[in-house]
Amino acid sequence: MKKLDIATELKNNPYPGRGILLGRSADNTQAVIAYFIMGRSVNSRNRIFTVTEDGIRTQAFDPAKMVDPSLVIYHPVRYYDGKTIVTNGDQTDTIWQAFQEGHCYRHALLTRTFEPDAPNYTPRISGVVKPDGSYNLSILKSADGDPSCCCRYFYEYDVPVAGEGRFLHTYMGDGDPLPSFEGEPERVGISAATAGELADLLWDSLNKENKVSLFVRYIDLATGKTDDVIKNVNE
């Protein structure tokens, strides 16, 4: 698979929707996590990322403008027993609960499907980063827009390559209905040495009319220490 430049990919796609990037720093010492959200409607754009005890949560920037919180308010990132969970919906909590019960992320996601937002049927994308830096990615999507069938795909990366990551996003681009992501997670380079550098790169590459919030975390594989950066359009 060709290694892509993530900045170029983002600049050439006005609406990738929500995206997860997992990987390894170039010096092979840090696990890398990034998650961003975009929005076309007032309801979707009226959000910020806020810090919680074990991760982050989406929150209405202006509560008076929030119309329907069902698919836009959730925990994108949660931490449990050395594992960092990152998803684009409330399946974060489904995976977190499964871990508490001794199950794996697959067990959790077999109970979920794509989002019920016809006609888009937005895919549910999920990732888990383990203490050793290995990671899993998953996408649950309709069968080419047919909601009668949920297609579940799971990808596992047990020895991540230094300076590389895998990028999974909900949409191939803008449209009506929105075209769901196709293929396996994209292979991208990671050259940023710090969470701040990667956050700046991604934020500057996202479409300025549609970007809403971004979270980046670097995890030191030797100590477990984390370095987090949050960027919100609404401040």
Short mmCIF file of all heavy atoms in Angstrom, two decimals, residues 48-87:
data_model
loop_
_atom_site.label_atom_id
_atom_site.label_comp_id
_atom_site.label_asym_id
_atom_site.label_seq_id
_atom_site.Cartn_x
_atom_site.Cartn_y
_atom_site.Cartn_z
N ILE A 48 -17.54 21.65 20.96
CA ILE A 48 -16.14 21.75 21.36
C ILE A 48 -15.73 20.44 22.03
O ILE A 48 -16.58 19.68 22.48
CB ILE A 48 -15.88 22.93 22.32
CG1 ILE A 48 -16.76 22.79 23.59
CG2 ILE A 48 -16.10 24.26 21.64
CD1 ILE A 48 -16.47 23.83 24.64
N PHE A 49 -14.44 20.18 22.09
CA PHE A 49 -13.90 19.08 22.89
C PHE A 49 -13.57 19.62 24.28
O PHE A 49 -12.93 20.67 24.41
CB PHE A 49 -12.63 18.52 22.27
CG PHE A 49 -12.82 17.65 21.06
CD1 PHE A 49 -11.75 17.32 20.24
CD2 PHE A 49 -14.08 17.14 20.73
CE1 PHE A 49 -11.91 16.50 19.14
CE2 PHE A 49 -14.26 16.33 19.62
CZ PHE A 49 -13.17 16.01 18.82
N THR A 50 -13.97 18.89 25.32
CA THR A 50 -13.61 19.24 26.68
C THR A 50 -12.98 18.03 27.36
O THR A 50 -13.28 16.88 27.01
CB THR A 50 -14.83 19.70 27.49
OG1 THR A 50 -15.80 18.65 27.54
CG2 THR A 50 -15.47 20.93 26.85
N VAL A 51 -12.15 18.27 28.35
CA VAL A 51 -11.42 17.22 29.05
C VAL A 51 -12.31 16.59 30.13
O VAL A 51 -13.03 17.28 30.84
CB VAL A 51 -10.14 17.78 29.69
CG1 VAL A 51 -9.42 16.71 30.51
CG2 VAL A 51 -9.21 18.34 28.62
N THR A 52 -12.25 15.24 30.24
CA THR A 52 -12.94 14.51 31.29
C THR A 52 -11.90 13.77 32.14
O THR A 52 -10.70 13.85 31.87
CB THR A 52 -13.93 13.49 30.70
OG1 THR A 52 -13.20 12.48 29.98
CG2 THR A 52 -14.92 14.17 29.75
N GLU A 53 -12.37 13.03 33.12
CA GLU A 53 -11.45 12.30 33.99
C GLU A 53 -10.63 11.26 33.24
O GLU A 53 -9.47 11.00 33.59
CB GLU A 53 -12.22 11.61 35.12
CG GLU A 53 -12.78 12.55 36.17
CD GLU A 53 -13.42 11.79 37.31
OE1 GLU A 53 -13.44 10.55 37.26
OE2 GLU A 53 -13.90 12.45 38.25
N ASP A 54 -11.21 10.64 32.21
CA ASP A 54 -10.50 9.57 31.50
C ASP A 54 -10.42 9.79 30.00
O ASP A 54 -10.22 8.85 29.24
CB ASP A 54 -11.16 8.21 31.80
CG ASP A 54 -12.59 8.12 31.25
OD1 ASP A 54 -13.13 9.15 30.82
OD2 ASP A 54 -13.15 7.01 31.25
N GLY A 55 -10.56 11.04 29.56
CA GLY A 55 -10.47 11.29 28.12
C GLY A 55 -11.01 12.65 27.74
O GLY A 55 -10.69 13.66 28.37
N ILE A 56 -11.86 12.68 26.71
CA ILE A 56 -12.50 13.91 26.29
C ILE A 56 -13.96 13.64 25.95
O ILE A 56 -14.38 12.50 25.76
CB ILE A 56 -11.80 14.55 25.07
CG1 ILE A 56 -11.86 13.61 23.85
CG2 ILE A 56 -10.38 14.96 25.40
CD1 ILE A 56 -11.39 14.27 22.56
N ARG A 57 -14.73 14.73 25.88
CA ARG A 57 -16.14 14.64 25.55
C ARG A 57 -16.49 15.80 24.62
O ARG A 57 -15.91 16.88 24.70
CB ARG A 57 -16.99 14.73 26.82
CG ARG A 57 -18.50 14.64 26.60
CD ARG A 57 -19.24 14.60 27.92
NE ARG A 57 -20.68 14.58 27.74
CZ ARG A 57 -21.39 13.50 27.45
NH1 ARG A 57 -20.77 12.34 27.31
NH2 ARG A 57 -22.69 13.55 27.30
N THR A 58 -17.44 15.56 23.71
CA THR A 58 -17.98 16.67 22.93
C THR A 58 -19.01 17.39 23.80
O THR A 58 -19.71 16.76 24.60
CB THR A 58 -18.64 16.21 21.63
OG1 THR A 58 -19.69 15.29 21.92
CG2 THR A 58 -17.63 15.54 20.71
N GLN A 59 -19.10 18.68 23.60
CA GLN A 59 -20.02 19.50 24.39
C GLN A 59 -20.55 20.61 23.51
O GLN A 59 -19.84 21.13 22.64
CB GLN A 59 -19.28 20.08 25.60
CG GLN A 59 -20.10 20.97 26.49
CD GLN A 59 -19.28 21.43 27.70
OE1 GLN A 59 -18.74 20.62 28.44
NE2 GLN A 59 -19.17 22.75 27.87
N ALA A 60 -21.81 21.02 23.72
CA ALA A 60 -22.37 22.13 22.97
C ALA A 60 -21.65 23.41 23.35
O ALA A 60 -21.51 23.73 24.53
CB ALA A 60 -23.86 22.25 23.25
N PHE A 61 -21.18 24.15 22.36
CA PHE A 61 -20.56 25.44 22.62
C PHE A 61 -21.60 26.44 23.09
O PHE A 61 -21.40 27.17 24.06
CB PHE A 61 -19.86 25.94 21.35
CG PHE A 61 -19.25 27.30 21.50
CD1 PHE A 61 -18.17 27.51 22.35
CD2 PHE A 61 -19.75 28.38 20.78
CE1 PHE A 61 -17.62 28.77 22.49
CE2 PHE A 61 -19.20 29.64 20.91
CZ PHE A 61 -18.12 29.84 21.77
N ASP A 62 -22.74 26.45 22.41
CA ASP A 62 -23.88 27.28 22.80
C ASP A 62 -25.07 26.35 23.02
O ASP A 62 -25.69 25.92 22.05
CB ASP A 62 -24.19 28.31 21.72
CG ASP A 62 -25.35 29.24 22.10
OD1 ASP A 62 -26.01 28.98 23.13
OD2 ASP A 62 -25.58 30.22 21.37
N PRO A 63 -25.39 25.99 24.27
CA PRO A 63 -26.48 25.05 24.54
C PRO A 63 -27.80 25.46 23.92
O PRO A 63 -28.61 24.59 23.55
CB PRO A 63 -26.57 25.04 26.07
CG PRO A 63 -25.19 25.42 26.52
CD PRO A 63 -24.71 26.41 25.51
N ALA A 64 -28.04 26.73 23.74
CA ALA A 64 -29.31 27.21 23.18
C ALA A 64 -29.47 26.83 21.71
O ALA A 64 -30.59 26.77 21.20
CB ALA A 64 -29.42 28.72 23.35
N LYS A 65 -28.34 26.56 21.04
CA LYS A 65 -28.40 26.22 19.62
C LYS A 65 -28.41 24.71 19.37
O LYS A 65 -28.53 24.28 18.22
CB LYS A 65 -27.21 26.84 18.88
CG LYS A 65 -27.24 28.37 18.83
CD LYS A 65 -26.04 28.89 18.06
CE LYS A 65 -26.06 30.41 17.96
NZ LYS A 65 -24.87 30.92 17.23
N MET A 66 -28.28 23.90 20.41
CA MET A 66 -28.25 22.46 20.25
C MET A 66 -29.66 21.94 19.97
O MET A 66 -30.57 22.13 20.77
CB MET A 66 -27.67 21.79 21.49
CG MET A 66 -27.58 20.27 21.43
SD MET A 66 -26.60 19.62 20.06
CE MET A 66 -24.97 20.29 20.40
N VAL A 67 -29.83 21.29 18.82
CA VAL A 67 -31.14 20.79 18.40
C VAL A 67 -31.32 19.33 18.79
O VAL A 67 -32.31 18.96 19.43
CB VAL A 67 -31.33 20.96 16.88
CG1 VAL A 67 -32.68 20.39 16.44
CG2 VAL A 67 -31.20 22.42 16.49
N ASP A 68 -30.39 18.47 18.39
CA ASP A 68 -30.48 17.04 18.66
C ASP A 68 -29.11 16.53 19.09
O ASP A 68 -28.19 16.43 18.27
CB ASP A 68 -30.96 16.30 17.42
CG ASP A 68 -31.04 14.79 17.63
OD1 ASP A 68 -30.88 14.34 18.78
OD2 ASP A 68 -31.28 14.07 16.65
N PRO A 69 -28.93 16.17 20.35
CA PRO A 69 -27.61 15.74 20.82
C PRO A 69 -27.29 14.28 20.56
O PRO A 69 -26.17 13.83 20.83
CB PRO A 69 -27.71 15.98 22.34
CG PRO A 69 -29.16 15.75 22.64
CD PRO A 69 -29.91 16.28 21.44
N SER A 70 -28.22 13.52 20.00
CA SER A 70 -28.10 12.05 19.98
C SER A 70 -26.84 11.54 19.28
O SER A 70 -26.23 10.57 19.72
CB SER A 70 -29.34 11.42 19.35
OG SER A 70 -29.51 11.86 18.02
N LEU A 71 -26.45 12.16 18.17
CA LEU A 71 -25.29 11.66 17.42
C LEU A 71 -24.10 12.60 17.47
O LEU A 71 -23.07 12.31 16.84
CB LEU A 71 -25.69 11.41 15.96
CG LEU A 71 -26.71 10.29 15.72
CD1 LEU A 71 -27.06 10.21 14.24
CD2 LEU A 71 -26.18 8.95 16.21
N VAL A 72 -24.21 13.68 18.22
CA VAL A 72 -23.12 14.66 18.23
C VAL A 72 -22.49 14.85 19.61
O VAL A 72 -21.39 15.39 19.72
CB VAL A 72 -23.60 16.03 17.68
CG1 VAL A 72 -23.99 15.91 16.22
CG2 VAL A 72 -24.74 16.60 18.51
N ILE A 73 -23.16 14.40 20.67
CA ILE A 73 -22.60 14.51 22.01
C ILE A 73 -22.22 13.10 22.50
O ILE A 73 -23.08 12.24 22.62
CB ILE A 73 -23.59 15.16 22.99
CG1 ILE A 73 -23.97 16.57 22.48
CG2 ILE A 73 -22.99 15.23 24.38
CD1 ILE A 73 -22.80 17.53 22.34
N TYR A 74 -20.93 12.90 22.76
CA TYR A 74 -20.44 11.57 23.15
C TYR A 74 -19.01 11.71 23.67
O TYR A 74 -18.43 12.81 23.64
CB TYR A 74 -20.48 10.60 21.96
CG TYR A 74 -19.72 11.08 20.74
CD1 TYR A 74 -18.39 10.74 20.54
CD2 TYR A 74 -20.34 11.89 19.78
CE1 TYR A 74 -17.68 11.18 19.43
CE2 TYR A 74 -19.64 12.34 18.67
CZ TYR A 74 -18.32 11.99 18.51
OH TYR A 74 -17.63 12.44 17.41
N HIS A 75 -18.43 10.61 24.13
CA HIS A 75 -17.03 10.57 24.54
C HIS A 75 -16.19 10.06 23.36
O HIS A 75 -16.20 8.85 23.10
CB HIS A 75 -16.83 9.62 25.73
CG HIS A 75 -17.47 10.05 27.00
ND1 HIS A 75 -18.70 9.56 27.42
CD2 HIS A 75 -17.07 10.92 27.96
CE1 HIS A 75 -19.02 10.12 28.57
NE2 HIS A 75 -18.06 10.94 28.92
N PRO A 76 -15.46 10.90 22.67
CA PRO A 76 -14.59 10.39 21.59
C PRO A 76 -13.42 9.57 22.12
O PRO A 76 -12.96 8.65 21.44
CB PRO A 76 -14.10 11.66 20.90
CG PRO A 76 -15.03 12.73 21.32
CD PRO A 76 -15.45 12.37 22.70
N VAL A 77 -12.93 9.91 23.31
CA VAL A 77 -11.74 9.25 23.86
C VAL A 77 -11.98 8.88 25.32
O VAL A 77 -12.43 9.71 26.11
CB VAL A 77 -10.49 10.15 23.76
CG1 VAL A 77 -9.28 9.48 24.42
CG2 VAL A 77 -10.18 10.51 22.31
N ARG A 78 -11.69 7.60 25.66
CA ARG A 78 -11.72 7.15 27.04
C ARG A 78 -10.53 6.21 27.28
O ARG A 78 -10.06 5.54 26.35
CB ARG A 78 -13.03 6.43 27.39
CG ARG A 78 -14.26 7.31 27.28
CD ARG A 78 -15.47 6.69 27.93
NE ARG A 78 -15.37 6.73 29.39
CZ ARG A 78 -16.34 6.35 30.20
NH1 ARG A 78 -17.48 5.88 29.71
NH2 ARG A 78 -16.19 6.42 31.52
N TYR A 79 -10.11 6.13 28.53
CA TYR A 79 -8.95 5.33 28.91
C TYR A 79 -9.40 4.28 29.92
O TYR A 79 -10.16 4.58 30.84
CB TYR A 79 -7.90 6.25 29.54
CG TYR A 79 -6.64 5.57 30.00
CD1 TYR A 79 -5.59 5.34 29.11
CD2 TYR A 79 -6.49 5.16 31.32
CE1 TYR A 79 -4.42 4.72 29.54
CE2 TYR A 79 -5.31 4.55 31.75
CZ TYR A 79 -4.29 4.33 30.86
OH TYR A 79 -3.14 3.72 31.27
N TYR A 80 -8.92 3.04 29.71
CA TYR A 80 -9.24 1.99 30.69
C TYR A 80 -8.12 0.96 30.71
O TYR A 80 -7.77 0.38 29.67
CB TYR A 80 -10.56 1.30 30.35
CG TYR A 80 -10.91 0.21 31.33
CD1 TYR A 80 -11.43 0.52 32.59
CD2 TYR A 80 -10.68 -1.13 31.03
CE1 TYR A 80 -11.71 -0.47 33.52
CE2 TYR A 80 -10.97 -2.13 31.94
CZ TYR A 80 -11.48 -1.80 33.19
OH TYR A 80 -11.75 -2.79 34.10
N ASP A 81 -7.56 0.72 31.88
CA ASP A 81 -6.59 -0.36 32.11
C ASP A 81 -5.46 -0.34 31.09
O ASP A 81 -5.10 -1.37 30.51
CB ASP A 81 -7.32 -1.70 32.09
CG ASP A 81 -6.45 -2.84 32.63
OD1 ASP A 81 -5.58 -2.57 33.47
OD2 ASP A 81 -6.65 -4.00 32.20
N GLY A 82 -4.90 0.82 30.84
CA GLY A 82 -3.78 0.94 29.92
C GLY A 82 -4.14 1.09 28.47
O GLY A 82 -3.27 1.29 27.62
N LYS A 83 -5.42 0.99 28.15
CA LYS A 83 -5.86 1.09 26.75
C LYS A 83 -6.56 2.43 26.52
O LYS A 83 -7.35 2.88 27.35
CB LYS A 83 -6.83 -0.05 26.41
CG LYS A 83 -6.30 -1.44 26.68
CD LYS A 83 -7.35 -2.48 26.29
CE LYS A 83 -6.93 -3.89 26.69
NZ LYS A 83 -6.98 -4.09 28.15
N THR A 84 -6.27 3.04 25.38
CA THR A 84 -6.95 4.26 24.98
C THR A 84 -7.93 3.93 23.86
O THR A 84 -7.55 3.38 22.83
CB THR A 84 -5.95 5.33 24.49
OG1 THR A 84 -5.00 5.59 25.51
CG2 THR A 84 -6.68 6.62 24.15
N ILE A 85 -9.20 4.26 24.10
CA ILE A 85 -10.27 4.02 23.13
C ILE A 85 -10.59 5.34 22.43
O ILE A 85 -10.74 6.37 23.09
CB ILE A 85 -11.54 3.51 23.83
CG1 ILE A 85 -11.23 2.32 24.74
CG2 ILE A 85 -12.63 3.16 22.82
CD1 ILE A 85 -12.31 2.07 25.79
N VAL A 86 -10.70 5.32 21.12
CA VAL A 86 -11.08 6.52 20.38
C VAL A 86 -12.08 6.13 19.30
O VAL A 86 -11.83 5.21 18.51
CB VAL A 86 -9.84 7.23 19.78
CG1 VAL A 86 -8.99 6.27 18.97
CG2 VAL A 86 -10.25 8.42 18.94
N THR A 87 -13.23 6.79 19.28
CA THR A 87 -14.27 6.48 18.29
C THR A 87 -15.02 7.75 17.89
O THR A 87 -14.87 8.80 18.51
CB THR A 87 -15.29 5.45 18.79
OG1 THR A 87 -16.39 6.12 19.45
CG2 THR A 87 -14.69 4.43 19.74
#
